[in-house]
Amino acid sequence: MASLLKLLGAVIAKQMVSERNVGSSSYRLLTLRILTFIGLSLPSIASVGAAEQALVFMNGTWIGEGYMLTLDTDRMQGNQRADLPFQREPLLLRNVSAKMVVFDIGTSRFIGLFDRDNLTLTGLSFDRNIRLRRVKP
């Protein structure tokens, strides 16, 4: 975030030093573009911080109620098939809100409520919530 603000500050300062452009339409256009970029980026920057925290508490193998889920957040891969323990599919975070995470593994979408070493999991393929516990390495 600090490097982004430094970069934007340098661009604005460089443009402001050039006095001949201050009244021009190119200066106004540049200023509008920068402000639009900042306005669109700030929510994304905040969600990046939440996503980073989610990656830490999601990582691991979770088992319970006849179900197994492996979340490898270092490589952004997951597995939901106990019969194929080394098969991995892409892990994609859709939404992060405190300890609740909406994520996809391959084509399957899940909603997980993480509480330390406990996970309450639901998804379209489940008819109820499933409670899982993290397996200690």
Side-chain angles (χ1 to χ4, degrees):
M1 171 99 171
S3 60
L4 176 65
L5 293 177
K6 284 181 185 177
L7 175 64
L8 288 173
V11 169
I12 292 169
K14 182 178 179 184
Q15 190 66 30
M16 291 177 82
V17 167
S18 174
E19 292 181 16
R20 62 183 171 179
N21 289 332
V22 171
S24 72
S25 61
S26 65
Y27 175 78
R28 286 190 296 268
L29 181 61
L30 176 66
T31 304
L32 179 62
R33 285 182 180 166
I34 290 171
L35 292 175
T36 302
F37 175 78
I38 292 170
L40 294 175
S41 297
L42 287 178
S44 300
I45 292 168
S47 64
V48 166
E52 286 177 359
Q53 291 175 352
L55 293 176
V56 172
F57 64 74
M58 289 176 66
N59 195 48
T61 300
W62 305 81
I63 59 169
E65 298 186 25
Y67 196 77
M68 185 274 310
L69 183 70
T70 300
L71 301 173
D72 182 353
T73 57
D74 292 331
R75 294 172 186 82
M76 293 305 292
Q77 297 178 344
N79 180 11
Q80 56 180 326
R81 298 197 48 191
D83 60 329
L84 298 171
F86 298 105
Q87 177 178 325
R88 299 289 188 263
E89 296 182 87
L91 172 64
L92 179 63
L93 299 185
R94 292 291 182 176
N95 193 359
V96 178
S97 175
K99 298 287 183 179
M100 186 185 79
V101 181
V102 179
F103 60 96
D104 296 346
I105 296 177
T107 58
S108 301
R109 177 152 305 164
F110 299 95
I111 300 171
L113 183 58
F114 294 85
D115 183 22
R116 296 187 193 117
D117 289 334
N118 298 303
L119 166 60
T120 303
L121 188 69
T122 189
L124 295 176
S125 60
F126 303 135
D127 58 353
R128 61 183 172 80
N129 292 340
I130 296 176
R131 295 187 188 277
L132 306 173
R133 289 196 51 84
R134 186 189 321 260
V135 176
K136 299 291 184 184

Short mmCIF file of all heavy atoms in Angstrom, two decimals, residues 28-93:
data_model
loop_
_atom_site.label_atom_id
_atom_site.label_comp_id
_atom_site.label_asym_id
_atom_site.label_seq_id
_atom_site.Cartn_x
_atom_site.Cartn_y
_atom_site.Cartn_z
N ARG A 28 -6.28 17.71 -16.21
CA ARG A 28 -7.55 17.36 -15.57
C ARG A 28 -7.89 15.88 -15.81
O ARG A 28 -8.38 15.20 -14.93
CB ARG A 28 -8.66 18.27 -16.10
CG ARG A 28 -8.58 19.69 -15.55
CD ARG A 28 -9.82 20.49 -15.90
NE ARG A 28 -9.98 20.68 -17.33
CZ ARG A 28 -9.53 21.73 -18.01
NH1 ARG A 28 -8.90 22.70 -17.37
NH2 ARG A 28 -9.71 21.82 -19.31
N LEU A 29 -7.61 15.39 -17.00
CA LEU A 29 -7.88 13.99 -17.31
C LEU A 29 -7.00 13.07 -16.47
O LEU A 29 -7.48 12.08 -15.92
CB LEU A 29 -7.65 13.73 -18.80
CG LEU A 29 -7.92 12.31 -19.28
CD1 LEU A 29 -9.38 11.94 -19.04
CD2 LEU A 29 -7.59 12.19 -20.76
N LEU A 30 -5.71 13.41 -16.33
CA LEU A 30 -4.81 12.62 -15.51
C LEU A 30 -5.28 12.60 -14.06
O LEU A 30 -5.32 11.56 -13.42
CB LEU A 30 -3.38 13.16 -15.59
CG LEU A 30 -2.37 12.46 -14.67
CD1 LEU A 30 -2.17 11.02 -15.12
CD2 LEU A 30 -1.06 13.21 -14.65
N THR A 31 -5.66 13.76 -13.54
CA THR A 31 -6.14 13.85 -12.16
C THR A 31 -7.39 13.00 -11.97
O THR A 31 -7.52 12.27 -10.99
CB THR A 31 -6.42 15.32 -11.78
OG1 THR A 31 -5.23 16.08 -12.00
CG2 THR A 31 -6.85 15.44 -10.34
N LEU A 32 -8.30 13.05 -12.92
CA LEU A 32 -9.53 12.26 -12.86
C LEU A 32 -9.20 10.77 -12.87
O LEU A 32 -9.77 9.99 -12.11
CB LEU A 32 -10.45 12.63 -14.01
CG LEU A 32 -11.77 11.86 -14.08
CD1 LEU A 32 -12.60 12.13 -12.83
CD2 LEU A 32 -12.54 12.26 -15.31
N ARG A 33 -8.27 10.36 -13.73
CA ARG A 33 -7.88 8.95 -13.80
C ARG A 33 -7.26 8.49 -12.49
O ARG A 33 -7.55 7.40 -12.01
CB ARG A 33 -6.90 8.73 -14.95
CG ARG A 33 -7.56 8.75 -16.30
CD ARG A 33 -6.57 8.47 -17.39
NE ARG A 33 -7.23 8.51 -18.69
CZ ARG A 33 -6.59 8.57 -19.82
NH1 ARG A 33 -5.27 8.62 -19.84
NH2 ARG A 33 -7.26 8.60 -20.95
N ILE A 34 -6.38 9.30 -11.91
CA ILE A 34 -5.73 8.93 -10.65
C ILE A 34 -6.76 8.80 -9.54
O ILE A 34 -6.75 7.84 -8.76
CB ILE A 34 -4.62 9.93 -10.29
CG1 ILE A 34 -3.45 9.78 -11.27
CG2 ILE A 34 -4.15 9.73 -8.85
CD1 ILE A 34 -2.39 10.85 -11.14
N LEU A 35 -7.66 9.77 -9.42
CA LEU A 35 -8.68 9.71 -8.37
C LEU A 35 -9.62 8.52 -8.57
O LEU A 35 -10.03 7.88 -7.60
CB LEU A 35 -9.46 11.03 -8.32
CG LEU A 35 -8.66 12.24 -7.85
CD1 LEU A 35 -9.49 13.51 -7.96
CD2 LEU A 35 -8.15 12.05 -6.44
N THR A 36 -9.94 8.21 -9.81
CA THR A 36 -10.79 7.04 -10.09
C THR A 36 -10.06 5.77 -9.70
O THR A 36 -10.63 4.87 -9.07
CB THR A 36 -11.16 7.00 -11.58
OG1 THR A 36 -11.84 8.20 -11.92
CG2 THR A 36 -12.04 5.80 -11.89
N PHE A 37 -8.77 5.68 -10.03
CA PHE A 37 -7.96 4.52 -9.67
C PHE A 37 -7.93 4.33 -8.16
O PHE A 37 -8.11 3.24 -7.65
CB PHE A 37 -6.54 4.67 -10.22
CG PHE A 37 -5.61 3.57 -9.79
CD1 PHE A 37 -5.67 2.34 -10.40
CD2 PHE A 37 -4.70 3.78 -8.77
CE1 PHE A 37 -4.82 1.32 -10.00
CE2 PHE A 37 -3.85 2.77 -8.37
CZ PHE A 37 -3.90 1.54 -8.98
N ILE A 38 -7.70 5.43 -7.43
CA ILE A 38 -7.66 5.35 -5.97
C ILE A 38 -9.02 4.90 -5.43
O ILE A 38 -9.10 4.02 -4.57
CB ILE A 38 -7.25 6.70 -5.35
CG1 ILE A 38 -5.78 7.00 -5.70
CG2 ILE A 38 -7.45 6.70 -3.84
CD1 ILE A 38 -5.36 8.41 -5.33
N GLY A 39 -10.08 5.46 -5.93
CA GLY A 39 -11.42 5.11 -5.47
C GLY A 39 -11.77 3.66 -5.72
O GLY A 39 -12.42 3.02 -4.90
N LEU A 40 -11.34 3.13 -6.86
CA LEU A 40 -11.64 1.73 -7.17
C LEU A 40 -10.70 0.77 -6.46
O LEU A 40 -11.06 -0.37 -6.21
CB LEU A 40 -11.55 1.51 -8.69
CG LEU A 40 -12.61 2.23 -9.53
CD1 LEU A 40 -12.32 2.02 -11.01
CD2 LEU A 40 -14.00 1.74 -9.17
N SER A 41 -9.49 1.22 -6.13
CA SER A 41 -8.49 0.32 -5.55
C SER A 41 -8.62 0.16 -4.04
O SER A 41 -8.29 -0.89 -3.51
CB SER A 41 -7.08 0.81 -5.86
OG SER A 41 -6.88 0.80 -7.24
N LEU A 42 -9.06 1.18 -3.33
CA LEU A 42 -9.07 1.10 -1.87
C LEU A 42 -9.90 -0.06 -1.34
O LEU A 42 -9.43 -0.78 -0.46
CB LEU A 42 -9.51 2.43 -1.26
CG LEU A 42 -8.47 3.53 -1.34
CD1 LEU A 42 -9.01 4.82 -0.75
CD2 LEU A 42 -7.17 3.14 -0.67
N PRO A 43 -11.11 -0.32 -1.84
CA PRO A 43 -11.83 -1.50 -1.33
C PRO A 43 -11.08 -2.80 -1.63
O PRO A 43 -11.06 -3.71 -0.81
CB PRO A 43 -13.17 -1.46 -2.08
CG PRO A 43 -13.33 -0.04 -2.49
CD PRO A 43 -11.94 0.48 -2.73
N SER A 44 -10.44 -2.88 -2.79
CA SER A 44 -9.70 -4.08 -3.15
C SER A 44 -8.50 -4.26 -2.24
O SER A 44 -8.18 -5.38 -1.85
CB SER A 44 -9.21 -3.99 -4.60
OG SER A 44 -10.31 -3.86 -5.46
N ILE A 45 -7.81 -3.18 -1.90
CA ILE A 45 -6.66 -3.27 -1.01
C ILE A 45 -7.09 -3.76 0.36
O ILE A 45 -6.44 -4.60 0.97
CB ILE A 45 -5.94 -1.91 -0.93
CG1 ILE A 45 -5.29 -1.59 -2.27
CG2 ILE A 45 -4.91 -1.89 0.18
CD1 ILE A 45 -4.79 -0.17 -2.40
N ALA A 46 -8.23 -3.29 0.86
CA ALA A 46 -8.73 -3.74 2.15
C ALA A 46 -9.08 -5.22 2.11
O ALA A 46 -8.80 -5.96 3.05
CB ALA A 46 -9.95 -2.92 2.56
N SER A 47 -9.69 -5.70 1.00
CA SER A 47 -10.06 -7.10 0.92
C SER A 47 -8.83 -8.00 0.77
O SER A 47 -8.87 -9.16 1.16
CB SER A 47 -11.04 -7.33 -0.23
OG SER A 47 -10.42 -7.05 -1.46
N VAL A 48 -7.74 -7.46 0.22
CA VAL A 48 -6.51 -8.24 0.13
C VAL A 48 -6.01 -8.58 1.52
O VAL A 48 -5.60 -9.71 1.79
CB VAL A 48 -5.43 -7.48 -0.68
CG1 VAL A 48 -4.07 -8.10 -0.51
CG2 VAL A 48 -5.82 -7.44 -2.14
N GLY A 49 -6.07 -7.63 2.46
CA GLY A 49 -5.65 -7.89 3.83
C GLY A 49 -6.50 -8.97 4.48
O GLY A 49 -5.99 -9.86 5.16
N ALA A 50 -7.80 -8.92 4.26
CA ALA A 50 -8.70 -9.93 4.82
C ALA A 50 -8.42 -11.29 4.20
O ALA A 50 -8.45 -12.32 4.88
CB ALA A 50 -10.15 -9.52 4.60
N ALA A 51 -8.15 -11.31 2.90
CA ALA A 51 -7.87 -12.57 2.22
C ALA A 51 -6.57 -13.19 2.73
O ALA A 51 -6.48 -14.40 2.90
CB ALA A 51 -7.80 -12.36 0.72
N GLU A 52 -5.56 -12.36 2.99
CA GLU A 52 -4.29 -12.88 3.52
C GLU A 52 -4.49 -13.54 4.86
O GLU A 52 -3.93 -14.60 5.13
CB GLU A 52 -3.26 -11.76 3.62
CG GLU A 52 -2.71 -11.31 2.29
CD GLU A 52 -1.75 -10.14 2.42
OE1 GLU A 52 -1.52 -9.66 3.54
OE2 GLU A 52 -1.25 -9.70 1.39
N GLN A 53 -5.30 -12.95 5.74
CA GLN A 53 -5.58 -13.55 7.04
C GLN A 53 -6.35 -14.85 6.87
O GLN A 53 -6.10 -15.83 7.56
CB GLN A 53 -6.38 -12.58 7.91
CG GLN A 53 -5.58 -11.39 8.36
CD GLN A 53 -6.43 -10.40 9.13
OE1 GLN A 53 -7.65 -10.52 9.20
NE2 GLN A 53 -5.79 -9.40 9.72
N ALA A 54 -7.28 -14.88 5.93
CA ALA A 54 -8.06 -16.09 5.68
C ALA A 54 -7.17 -17.23 5.22
O ALA A 54 -7.37 -18.38 5.62
CB ALA A 54 -9.15 -15.81 4.65
N LEU A 55 -6.18 -16.92 4.39
CA LEU A 55 -5.29 -17.96 3.89
C LEU A 55 -4.55 -18.65 5.03
O LEU A 55 -4.30 -19.85 4.98
CB LEU A 55 -4.31 -17.37 2.89
CG LEU A 55 -4.91 -16.86 1.59
CD1 LEU A 55 -3.84 -16.21 0.73
CD2 LEU A 55 -5.62 -17.96 0.84
N VAL A 56 -4.22 -17.89 6.06
CA VAL A 56 -3.49 -18.46 7.20
C VAL A 56 -4.37 -19.43 7.97
O VAL A 56 -3.97 -20.56 8.27
CB VAL A 56 -2.96 -17.35 8.13
CG1 VAL A 56 -2.39 -17.93 9.41
CG2 VAL A 56 -1.93 -16.51 7.41
N PHE A 57 -5.59 -19.03 8.32
CA PHE A 57 -6.41 -19.93 9.14
C PHE A 57 -7.11 -21.02 8.35
O PHE A 57 -7.60 -21.99 8.91
CB PHE A 57 -7.40 -19.16 10.03
CG PHE A 57 -8.46 -18.35 9.34
CD1 PHE A 57 -9.54 -18.94 8.73
CD2 PHE A 57 -8.38 -16.97 9.34
CE1 PHE A 57 -10.54 -18.18 8.14
CE2 PHE A 57 -9.35 -16.20 8.74
CZ PHE A 57 -10.42 -16.81 8.14
N MET A 58 -7.15 -20.93 7.02
CA MET A 58 -7.76 -21.96 6.21
C MET A 58 -6.83 -23.15 5.95
O MET A 58 -7.29 -24.27 5.78
CB MET A 58 -8.17 -21.40 4.84
CG MET A 58 -9.32 -20.46 4.85
SD MET A 58 -9.63 -19.76 3.20
CE MET A 58 -10.16 -21.20 2.29
N ASN A 59 -5.55 -22.90 5.90
CA ASN A 59 -4.57 -23.88 5.46
C ASN A 59 -4.60 -25.15 6.32
O ASN A 59 -4.63 -25.07 7.53
CB ASN A 59 -3.17 -23.26 5.49
CG ASN A 59 -2.17 -24.08 4.71
OD1 ASN A 59 -2.44 -24.46 3.58
ND2 ASN A 59 -1.02 -24.34 5.31
N GLY A 60 -4.60 -26.30 5.66
CA GLY A 60 -4.53 -27.55 6.39
C GLY A 60 -5.46 -28.60 5.82
O GLY A 60 -6.15 -28.39 4.83
N THR A 61 -5.46 -29.75 6.49
CA THR A 61 -6.37 -30.84 6.15
C THR A 61 -7.44 -30.91 7.22
O THR A 61 -7.15 -30.89 8.41
CB THR A 61 -5.62 -32.18 6.05
OG1 THR A 61 -4.62 -32.06 5.02
CG2 THR A 61 -6.54 -33.32 5.71
N TRP A 62 -8.68 -31.00 6.77
CA TRP A 62 -9.84 -30.98 7.65
C TRP A 62 -10.61 -32.28 7.44
O TRP A 62 -10.89 -32.66 6.30
CB TRP A 62 -10.73 -29.79 7.32
CG TRP A 62 -10.01 -28.47 7.35
CD1 TRP A 62 -9.22 -27.92 6.38
CD2 TRP A 62 -10.01 -27.54 8.42
NE1 TRP A 62 -8.74 -26.71 6.79
CE2 TRP A 62 -9.21 -26.44 8.04
CE3 TRP A 62 -10.63 -27.51 9.68
CZ2 TRP A 62 -9.00 -25.34 8.86
CZ3 TRP A 62 -10.43 -26.41 10.50
CH2 TRP A 62 -9.61 -25.35 10.08
N ILE A 63 -10.98 -32.97 8.54
CA ILE A 63 -11.74 -34.21 8.42
C ILE A 63 -12.87 -34.23 9.44
O ILE A 63 -12.81 -33.55 10.48
CB ILE A 63 -10.86 -35.47 8.61
CG1 ILE A 63 -10.18 -35.46 9.98
CG2 ILE A 63 -9.85 -35.61 7.50
CD1 ILE A 63 -9.52 -36.78 10.32
N GLY A 64 -13.90 -35.00 9.12
CA GLY A 64 -15.02 -35.19 10.04
C GLY A 64 -16.28 -35.57 9.30
O GLY A 64 -16.46 -35.21 8.13
N GLU A 65 -17.14 -36.31 9.98
CA GLU A 65 -18.44 -36.71 9.45
C GLU A 65 -18.33 -37.37 8.07
O GLU A 65 -19.14 -37.14 7.18
CB GLU A 65 -19.42 -35.53 9.40
CG GLU A 65 -19.72 -34.94 10.76
CD GLU A 65 -20.80 -33.87 10.73
OE1 GLU A 65 -21.63 -33.89 9.81
OE2 GLU A 65 -20.79 -33.04 11.64
N GLY A 66 -17.28 -38.20 7.90
CA GLY A 66 -17.11 -38.91 6.65
C GLY A 66 -16.65 -38.06 5.48
O GLY A 66 -16.79 -38.46 4.33
N TYR A 67 -16.10 -36.89 5.76
CA TYR A 67 -15.68 -35.98 4.71
C TYR A 67 -14.26 -35.51 4.97
O TYR A 67 -13.84 -35.34 6.12
CB TYR A 67 -16.63 -34.78 4.64
CG TYR A 67 -16.52 -33.98 3.37
CD1 TYR A 67 -17.09 -34.45 2.19
CD2 TYR A 67 -15.83 -32.78 3.34
CE1 TYR A 67 -16.97 -33.73 1.02
CE2 TYR A 67 -15.71 -32.06 2.17
CZ TYR A 67 -16.28 -32.54 1.02
OH TYR A 67 -16.16 -31.83 -0.14
N MET A 68 -13.50 -35.27 3.91
CA MET A 68 -12.14 -34.78 4.00
C MET A 68 -11.97 -33.60 3.05
O MET A 68 -12.48 -33.61 1.92
CB MET A 68 -11.15 -35.88 3.61
CG MET A 68 -9.68 -35.54 3.79
SD MET A 68 -8.84 -34.68 2.43
CE MET A 68 -9.22 -35.61 1.00
N LEU A 69 -11.27 -32.58 3.54
CA LEU A 69 -11.01 -31.39 2.73
C LEU A 69 -9.57 -30.96 2.98
O LEU A 69 -9.17 -30.80 4.14
CB LEU A 69 -11.98 -30.27 3.14
CG LEU A 69 -11.92 -28.97 2.36
CD1 LEU A 69 -12.45 -29.18 0.95
CD2 LEU A 69 -12.75 -27.91 3.07
N THR A 70 -8.80 -30.81 1.92
CA THR A 70 -7.43 -30.31 2.05
C THR A 70 -7.36 -28.95 1.37
O THR A 70 -7.75 -28.81 0.21
CB THR A 70 -6.42 -31.27 1.38
OG1 THR A 70 -6.50 -32.54 2.01
CG2 THR A 70 -5.00 -30.73 1.49
N LEU A 71 -6.88 -27.96 2.12
CA LEU A 71 -6.72 -26.60 1.60
C LEU A 71 -5.24 -26.25 1.69
O LEU A 71 -4.70 -26.09 2.78
CB LEU A 71 -7.56 -25.62 2.41
CG LEU A 71 -9.06 -25.89 2.44
CD1 LEU A 71 -9.76 -24.95 3.40
CD2 LEU A 71 -9.64 -25.77 1.04
N ASP A 72 -4.59 -26.16 0.54
CA ASP A 72 -3.19 -25.77 0.46
C ASP A 72 -3.15 -24.33 -0.02
O ASP A 72 -3.13 -24.05 -1.22
CB ASP A 72 -2.45 -26.70 -0.51
CG ASP A 72 -0.97 -26.39 -0.62
OD1 ASP A 72 -0.52 -25.37 -0.05
OD2 ASP A 72 -0.26 -27.16 -1.29
N THR A 73 -3.17 -23.40 0.94
CA THR A 73 -3.26 -21.98 0.58
C THR A 73 -1.93 -21.41 0.11
O THR A 73 -1.91 -20.34 -0.47
CB THR A 73 -3.81 -21.16 1.76
OG1 THR A 73 -2.97 -21.34 2.90
CG2 THR A 73 -5.23 -21.58 2.09
N ASP A 74 -0.83 -22.13 0.34
CA ASP A 74 0.46 -21.67 -0.19
C ASP A 74 0.47 -21.80 -1.71
O ASP A 74 1.02 -20.96 -2.41
CB ASP A 74 1.62 -22.48 0.40
CG ASP A 74 1.81 -22.20 1.87
OD1 ASP A 74 1.49 -21.08 2.33
OD2 ASP A 74 2.28 -23.12 2.58
N ARG A 75 -0.14 -22.85 -2.21
CA ARG A 75 -0.17 -23.10 -3.66
C ARG A 75 -1.54 -22.81 -4.27
O ARG A 75 -1.72 -22.99 -5.46
CB ARG A 75 0.21 -24.56 -3.93
CG ARG A 75 1.64 -24.86 -3.55
CD ARG A 75 1.94 -26.35 -3.65
NE ARG A 75 3.25 -26.66 -3.17
CZ ARG A 75 3.57 -26.82 -1.88
NH1 ARG A 75 2.65 -26.69 -0.95
NH2 ARG A 75 4.80 -27.10 -1.52
N MET A 76 -2.50 -22.40 -3.43
CA MET A 76 -3.87 -22.10 -3.86
C MET A 76 -4.48 -23.30 -4.59
O MET A 76 -5.01 -23.19 -5.69
CB MET A 76 -3.94 -20.83 -4.70
CG MET A 76 -3.61 -19.58 -3.92
SD MET A 76 -4.64 -19.35 -2.45
CE MET A 76 -6.23 -19.01 -3.16
N GLN A 77 -4.40 -24.46 -3.90
CA GLN A 77 -4.97 -25.69 -4.41
C GLN A 77 -5.76 -26.37 -3.31
O GLN A 77 -5.48 -26.19 -2.13
CB GLN A 77 -3.88 -26.65 -4.90
CG GLN A 77 -3.06 -26.11 -6.04
CD GLN A 77 -1.96 -27.06 -6.45
OE1 GLN A 77 -1.61 -27.98 -5.72
NE2 GLN A 77 -1.39 -26.83 -7.63
N GLY A 78 -6.74 -27.16 -3.70
CA GLY A 78 -7.54 -27.88 -2.73
C GLY A 78 -7.92 -29.25 -3.22
O GLY A 78 -7.81 -29.56 -4.41
N ASN A 79 -8.37 -30.09 -2.28
CA ASN A 79 -8.80 -31.43 -2.60
C ASN A 79 -9.98 -31.78 -1.70
O ASN A 79 -9.94 -31.53 -0.50
CB ASN A 79 -7.66 -32.43 -2.39
CG ASN A 79 -8.07 -33.85 -2.71
OD1 ASN A 79 -9.11 -34.10 -3.27
ND2 ASN A 79 -7.23 -34.79 -2.32
N GLN A 80 -11.01 -32.35 -2.29
CA GLN A 80 -12.16 -32.78 -1.53
C GLN A 80 -12.43 -34.27 -1.69
O GLN A 80 -13.46 -34.76 -1.27
CB GLN A 80 -13.38 -31.97 -1.95
CG GLN A 80 -13.66 -32.06 -3.43
CD GLN A 80 -14.88 -31.26 -3.83
OE1 GLN A 80 -15.83 -31.17 -3.07
NE2 GLN A 80 -14.84 -30.69 -5.02
N ARG A 81 -11.48 -34.99 -2.26
CA ARG A 81 -11.66 -36.41 -2.51
C ARG A 81 -10.66 -37.23 -1.71
O ARG A 81 -9.48 -37.26 -2.02
CB ARG A 81 -11.50 -36.70 -4.01
CG ARG A 81 -12.56 -35.97 -4.83
CD ARG A 81 -12.71 -36.50 -6.19
NE ARG A 81 -12.82 -37.95 -6.23
CZ ARG A 81 -12.75 -38.63 -7.36
NH1 ARG A 81 -12.56 -38.02 -8.50
NH2 ARG A 81 -12.87 -39.94 -7.34
N ALA A 82 -11.17 -37.92 -0.69
CA ALA A 82 -10.32 -38.76 0.15
C ALA A 82 -9.74 -39.94 -0.64
O ALA A 82 -8.64 -40.42 -0.32
CB ALA A 82 -11.10 -39.27 1.35
N ASP A 83 -10.45 -40.39 -1.68
CA ASP A 83 -9.96 -41.52 -2.48
C ASP A 83 -8.81 -41.12 -3.41
O ASP A 83 -8.11 -41.99 -3.92
CB ASP A 83 -11.11 -42.16 -3.27
CG ASP A 83 -11.78 -41.19 -4.22
OD1 ASP A 83 -11.83 -39.98 -3.91
OD2 ASP A 83 -12.27 -41.64 -5.28
N LEU A 84 -8.61 -39.83 -3.64
CA LEU A 84 -7.50 -39.33 -4.45
C LEU A 84 -6.75 -38.26 -3.66
O LEU A 84 -6.83 -37.07 -3.96
CB LEU A 84 -8.02 -38.75 -5.78
CG LEU A 84 -8.74 -39.72 -6.69
CD1 LEU A 84 -9.40 -38.98 -7.85
CD2 LEU A 84 -7.79 -40.79 -7.21
N PRO A 85 -5.99 -38.67 -2.64
CA PRO A 85 -5.39 -37.69 -1.71
C PRO A 85 -4.35 -36.77 -2.33
O PRO A 85 -4.07 -35.71 -1.76
CB PRO A 85 -4.77 -38.57 -0.62
CG PRO A 85 -4.55 -39.89 -1.27
CD PRO A 85 -5.63 -40.04 -2.29
N PHE A 86 -3.77 -37.13 -3.46
CA PHE A 86 -2.74 -36.29 -4.06
C PHE A 86 -3.25 -35.47 -5.24
O PHE A 86 -2.50 -34.73 -5.86
CB PHE A 86 -1.53 -37.13 -4.47
CG PHE A 86 -0.89 -37.81 -3.30
CD1 PHE A 86 -1.06 -39.17 -3.09
CD2 PHE A 86 -0.16 -37.08 -2.38
CE1 PHE A 86 -0.50 -39.79 -1.99
CE2 PHE A 86 0.40 -37.70 -1.28
CZ PHE A 86 0.23 -39.06 -1.08
N GLN A 87 -4.52 -35.60 -5.55
CA GLN A 87 -5.11 -34.81 -6.63
C GLN A 87 -5.43 -33.42 -6.09
O GLN A 87 -5.97 -33.27 -4.99
CB GLN A 87 -6.40 -35.46 -7.14
CG GLN A 87 -7.08 -34.64 -8.22
CD GLN A 87 -8.33 -35.34 -8.73
OE1 GLN A 87 -8.37 -36.55 -8.82
NE2 GLN A 87 -9.33 -34.55 -9.07
N ARG A 88 -5.10 -32.40 -6.83
CA ARG A 88 -5.37 -31.02 -6.41
C ARG A 88 -6.09 -30.29 -7.53
O ARG A 88 -5.83 -30.51 -8.71
CB ARG A 88 -4.08 -30.26 -6.08
CG ARG A 88 -3.26 -30.85 -4.95
CD ARG A 88 -3.95 -30.64 -3.62
NE ARG A 88 -3.11 -31.02 -2.50
CZ ARG A 88 -3.17 -32.18 -1.89
NH1 ARG A 88 -4.01 -33.09 -2.29
NH2 ARG A 88 -2.39 -32.44 -0.86
N GLU A 89 -7.01 -29.40 -7.12
CA GLU A 89 -7.72 -28.54 -8.06
C GLU A 89 -7.51 -27.10 -7.61
O GLU A 89 -7.16 -26.84 -6.45
CB GLU A 89 -9.21 -28.88 -8.07
CG GLU A 89 -9.49 -30.29 -8.58
CD GLU A 89 -10.97 -30.56 -8.63
OE1 GLU A 89 -11.58 -30.23 -9.66
OE2 GLU A 89 -11.50 -31.08 -7.64
N PRO A 90 -7.75 -26.14 -8.49
CA PRO A 90 -7.55 -24.73 -8.12
C PRO A 90 -8.45 -24.32 -6.95
O PRO A 90 -9.62 -24.69 -6.89
CB PRO A 90 -7.93 -23.96 -9.38
CG PRO A 90 -7.81 -24.96 -10.49
CD PRO A 90 -8.12 -26.30 -9.89
N LEU A 91 -7.87 -23.58 -6.02
CA LEU A 91 -8.60 -23.00 -4.88
C LEU A 91 -8.76 -21.51 -5.15
O LEU A 91 -7.78 -20.82 -5.41
CB LEU A 91 -7.81 -23.22 -3.59
CG LEU A 91 -8.31 -22.51 -2.34
CD1 LEU A 91 -9.69 -23.02 -1.94
CD2 LEU A 91 -7.33 -22.71 -1.19
N LEU A 92 -9.99 -21.04 -5.11
CA LEU A 92 -10.28 -19.65 -5.42
C LEU A 92 -11.14 -19.05 -4.31
O LEU A 92 -12.21 -19.59 -4.00
CB LEU A 92 -11.00 -19.55 -6.76
CG LEU A 92 -11.42 -18.17 -7.23
CD1 LEU A 92 -10.20 -17.28 -7.46
CD2 LEU A 92 -12.22 -18.28 -8.51
N LEU A 93 -10.67 -17.97 -3.71
CA LEU A 93 -11.46 -17.27 -2.70
C LEU A 93 -12.45 -16.36 -3.40
O LEU A 93 -12.07 -15.56 -4.25
CB LEU A 93 -10.57 -16.43 -1.78
CG LEU A 93 -9.51 -17.16 -0.97
CD1 LEU A 93 -8.82 -16.19 -0.04
CD2 LEU A 93 -10.08 -18.32 -0.22
#
